[in-house]
Amino acid sequence: MTIEVNNESGFEVDEAEFAAIGRFVLDAMHVHPQTELSILMVDTDVMTDLHVQWMDEPGPTDVLSFPMDELRPGTEDEPTPAGLLGDVVLCPEVAAAQAVKAGHSTEEEMLLLTTHGILHLLGYDHAEPEEEKEMFALQRHLLLTFLASR
């Protein structure tokens, strides 16, 4: 599994921890071990530009996902085929503000957002109430299981 983590945000992060959660989530979702994932941290200016360009919404956001091969979760018996999953783009500055409101660390918020972004790459969405319930429950389970294993 190739997980590339690039920090262009100027915000200090433990890049190995983000590779680890990426690996954990992809393993849990039975994604082929040769699948590629990119995790990128950017500053608010870059995130604002991406948010406007791709979502037509003003200001920065916390996380954006850019799927490539439209891979979906596999099963233990039939993992997802190898491919290019896509890119998760995080804005640590936005995550830091959200972490204060949520009462946890910036790193925990960014790990949550990474999990969220990967689930979007795997086809999960939260536009409808039932979709949101399913995605957020899975996101919570994956994150708590990962954190408990650390």
Side-chain angles (χ1 to χ4, degrees):
M1 192 169 303
T2 302
I3 300 175
E4 185 176 319
V5 179
N6 290 305
N7 183 7
E8 299 174 1
S9 69
F11 205 93
E12 190 172 323
V13 297
D14 180 357
E15 293 176 17
E17 192 73 354
F18 291 90
I21 191 139
R23 209 169 292 108
F24 179 85
V25 171
L26 295 181
D27 285 345
M29 301 305 292
H30 306 288
V31 174
H32 194 283
Q34 292 179 339
T35 297
E36 296 180 38
L37 168 66
S38 170
I39 301 170
L40 175 64
M41 286 96 168
V42 299
D43 64 25
T44 54
D45 290 339
V46 171
M47 185 58 98
T48 297
D49 290 345
L50 291 171
H51 199 210
V52 169
Q53 178 180 0
W54 295 102
M55 304 300 290
D56 200 24
E57 294 181 14
T61 189
D62 51 6
V63 61
L64 290 170
S65 297
F66 298 96
M68 299 300 280
D69 288 345
E70 297 186 17
L71 301 175
R72 296 298 177 253
T75 64
E76 193 170 335
D77 296 331
E78 194 173 322
T80 298
L84 182 58
L85 186 58
D87 304 321
V88 173
V89 182
L90 301 163
C91 185
E93 192 172 335
V94 173
Q98 290 176 179
V100 170
K101 290 178 185 174
H104 54 238
S105 73
T106 299
E107 183 174 85
E108 288 172 331
E109 181 71 14
M110 289 179 61
L111 291 170
L112 178 144
L113 293 171
T114 302
T115 303
H116 185 87
I118 294 169
L119 290 177
H120 272 306
L121 293 177
L122 289 168
Y124 287 87
D125 202 359
H126 47 86
E128 300 297 325
E130 279 304 308
E131 292 174 335
E132 180 177 343
K133 184 178 177 182
E134 177 187 10
M135 182 178 180
F136 282 59
L138 178 57
Q139 171 183 295
R140 179 177 169 77
H141 170 75
L142 291 167
L143 181 60
L144 290 177
T145 304
F146 173 78
L147 292 174
S149 72
R150 302 314 270 173

